[in-house]
Amino acid sequence: MDVRFDLDPSVTPGLRDGICALWADVSNAGGAVGFLPPVAPEEIRPDLLTHLTAMAEGRTRLMVGRDPEGRVLATAFPTFNGHRLMTHWLWVYTVMVHPSLQGQGTGRRLMAAVAEAARGFDGVTALRLTCRGGTGVHRFYEACGYKEVGRVPGAIKLADDDFRDDVTMWLELS
């Protein structure tokens, strides 16, 4: 599928609704993006508004992938680090690709677009993200050039008897 990636698109009601719908679709398909299924877009909207507020304040950027009709199919939120000694790297939050596109290279293209954009940000030399252990997604990030640099056992609680590792991944932008 033809997916076009754009950095910092205009935030319209259609884009907001598209991101909420994508987030719900990814979550309901078992994606590790902060919610457990079942979840509705209305439940996700407050978290999206947090990202949009950070964007309006200049702390976060948005990389969005859309099809030719404008449907939101992928997102990532590169976020500047506010600590004065760590401004040389960005966090990457809420990395999502529509479940129908899994395994078709869209995720790799999204991560490449994020890295390329970050290389253009003044003084940024690396990207950092976290992912949920037990999903195998760390292997996807490794295939995109990231390396695992940390793991906190049991830091993510999905249920009373289901704890997952919080895995930290790092990409040098050399």
Side-chain angles (χ1 to χ4, degrees):
M1 172 174 281
D2 183 30
V3 178
R4 184 189 77 244
F5 294 95
D6 296 307
L7 180 65
D8 299 331
S10 295
V11 179
T12 64
L15 180 66
R16 285 192 306 266
D17 291 347
I19 295 171
C20 276
L22 172 66
W23 207 333
D25 288 345
V26 169
S27 296
N28 289 327
V33 287
F35 292 90
L36 296 174
V39 65
E42 300 78 38
E43 297 169 84
I44 289 167
R45 194 167 301 278
D47 283 36
L48 175 58
L49 293 177
T50 298
H51 282 314
L52 297 177
T53 298
M55 286 172 56
E57 295 171 353
R59 296 180 291 117
T60 294
R61 311 287 291 267
L62 168 61
M63 181 65 70
V64 66
R66 292 183 272 199
D67 67 12
E69 290 76 43
R71 187 173 79 133
V72 177
L73 298 173
T75 64
F77 290 86
T79 300
F80 294 96
N81 195 322
H83 191 286
R84 72 182 63 73
L85 301 179
M86 298 180 192
T87 59
H88 62 288
W89 58 268
L90 304 178
W91 283 102
V92 182
Y93 293 116
T94 320
V95 175
M96 300 186 287
V97 172
H98 194 274
S100 68
L101 298 177
Q102 295 294 319
Q104 298 180 29
T106 305
R108 284 184 190 226
R109 290 182 49 230
L110 170 64
M111 298 313 293
V114 169
E116 185 61 30
R119 285 182 183 95
F121 300 161
D122 190 39
V124 173
T125 62
L127 299 175
R128 180 177 175 178
L129 57 82
T130 62
C131 58
R132 183 187 301 167
T135 64
V137 74
H138 70 283
R139 288 189 296 277
F140 162 75
Y141 291 116
E142 287 170 347
C144 293
Y146 286 76
K147 63 181 176 180
E148 181 177 329
V149 295
R151 184 178 287 257
V152 181
I156 301 170
K157 182 179 179 181
L158 302 182
D160 286 340
D161 61 348
D162 188 356
F163 293 85
R164 305 290 178 89
D165 294 354
D166 186 21
V167 182
T168 302
M169 308 295 293
W170 182 262
L171 177 70
E172 292 286 339
L173 295 173
S174 51

